[in-house]
Amino acid sequence: APAVSLSAPADGASGVATMPTLTWAAIPAAISYTVEVASDAGFATIVSSGTVTGTSFQATGLAPSTTYYWRVRATNACGAGTNSVARSFTTAAEVCFTGSVAIPDNNTTGVTNVLSGSSGLLTDLNVRLEATHTWVGDLRMTLTHGATTVALVDRPGNPASTNGCSANDVAVTADDEGADGTIEAACAATPPAVGGVRTPNDALSAFDGQDFSGNWTLTVSDNAGADTGNLTRWCLYPSMVTVVNNIFGDGFE
């Protein structure tokens, strides 16, 4: 089998999620693809690997703020091909919650979950949101830090349709520069209904310039009856510069 051409993430990409989806171009007549993610350029230490029949693979077990290397090789009826040219990426300094928190049905107060950030001046913030929930048009999700609250999800498909998007599940990255359209307009028939990298209802740039430290509160509410679900994962992907205490930098106290 010929060598595979890697697609995403781009070589040398930074701010990549710790559970990234790696993609590559299909090879004609390929039966399967073997993916390896390593913590070193020589691939002596493989941290995530798998064999798949499609052209994507979700890596797991990666640490924040760490550089990784990945490669893919195809197998066809004649056997395994050569490894692709390796690429590298660096994971984000992310903070995540993973679990299962029930979202109260038809309750505008909703449920909250809190993450704590480290000190640093925010220059950009993206947020990963994952929930298993039928009829995602019921859902609102807001993020609060200090006195600032940003609406990330506000009943997708509503008011475009009376009751919002009737499809299921959320697995989306909210990003002011999202290339897949708006969260509000998302409504895929196949789960997740709200997926990809999309722009939130309110701009996350409202947090730019704030210190990342302190509590970040995600509030998730269900705003109609009958359909239920759970918040299963959410992450903060900050880009920031270190805050330096320079009060006495001029030599005076």
Side-chain angles (χ1 to χ4, degrees), residues 57-84:
F57 172 77
Q58 186 172 46
T60 58
L62 309 189
S65 303
T66 303
T67 298
Y68 291 98
Y69 303 83
W70 68 292
R71 64 188 182 186
V72 179
R73 65 179 177 273
T75 296
N76 62 16
C78 297
T82 57
N83 285 311
S84 66

Side-chain angles (χ1 to χ4, degrees), residues 101-108 131-140 155 163-169 220-231:
V101 176
I103 303 166
D105 187 37
N106 199 18
N107 182 327
T108 57
T132 55
H133 196 287
T134 54
W135 206 295
V136 296
D138 290 358
L139 295 178
R140 287 194 175 103
R155 304 197 66 185
N163 297 310
C165 176
S166 62
N168 303 335
D169 300 345
V220 184
S221 65
D222 178 302
N223 296 267
D227 291 275
T228 59
N230 298 277
L231 172 69

Side-chain angles (χ1 to χ4, degrees), residues 5 90 100 117 156 203 245:
S5 176
T90 301
S100 185
N245 187 341

Side-chain angles (χ1 to χ4, degrees), residues 206-231:
F207 296 117
D208 289 359
Q210 295 188 17
D211 193 334
F212 184 56
S213 64
N215 288 341
W216 293 81
T217 303
L218 181 72
T219 302
V220 184
S221 65
D222 178 302
N223 296 267
D227 291 275
T228 59
N230 298 277
L231 172 69

Side-chain angles (χ1 to χ4, degrees), residues 29-207:
I31 298 170
S32 64
Y33 301 90
T34 299
V35 188
E36 294 177 316
V37 182
S39 57
D40 63 291
F43 289 84
T45 304
I46 305 296
V47 296
S48 184
S49 63
T51 299
V52 297
T53 56
T55 56
S56 67
F57 172 77
Q58 186 172 46
T60 58
L62 309 189
S65 303
T66 303
T67 298
Y68 291 98
Y69 303 83
W70 68 292
R71 64 188 182 186
V72 179
R73 65 179 177 273
T75 296
N76 62 16
C78 297
T82 57
N83 285 311
S84 66
V85 174
R87 283 186 175 183
S88 69
F89 62 85
T90 301
T91 52
E94 66 180 41
V95 183
C96 291
F97 161 82
T98 302
S100 185
V101 176
I103 303 166
D105 187 37
N106 199 18
N107 182 327
T108 57
T109 300
V111 65
T112 60
N113 191 265
V114 179
L115 292 176
S116 182
S118 57
S119 185
L121 193 66
L122 280 169
T123 58
D124 188 59
L125 180 67
N126 298 333
V127 182
R128 180 67 177 176
L129 301 165
E130 297 182 20
T132 55
H133 196 287
T134 54
W135 206 295
V136 296
D138 290 358
L139 295 178
R140 287 194 175 103
M141 299 184 182
T142 62
L143 181 63
T144 301
H145 179 63
T148 305
T149 295
V150 166
L152 304 174
V153 178
D154 190 3
R155 304 197 66 185
N158 186 328
S161 63
T162 304
N163 297 310
C165 176
S166 62
N168 303 335
D169 300 345
V170 174
V172 68
T173 299
D175 180 347
D176 287 352
E177 291 74 45
D180 297 325
T182 65
I183 288 176
E184 171 62 24
C187 188
T190 302
V194 182
V197 181
R198 295 178 173 271
T199 56
N201 283 71
D202 295 340
L204 282 159
S205 59
F207 296 117

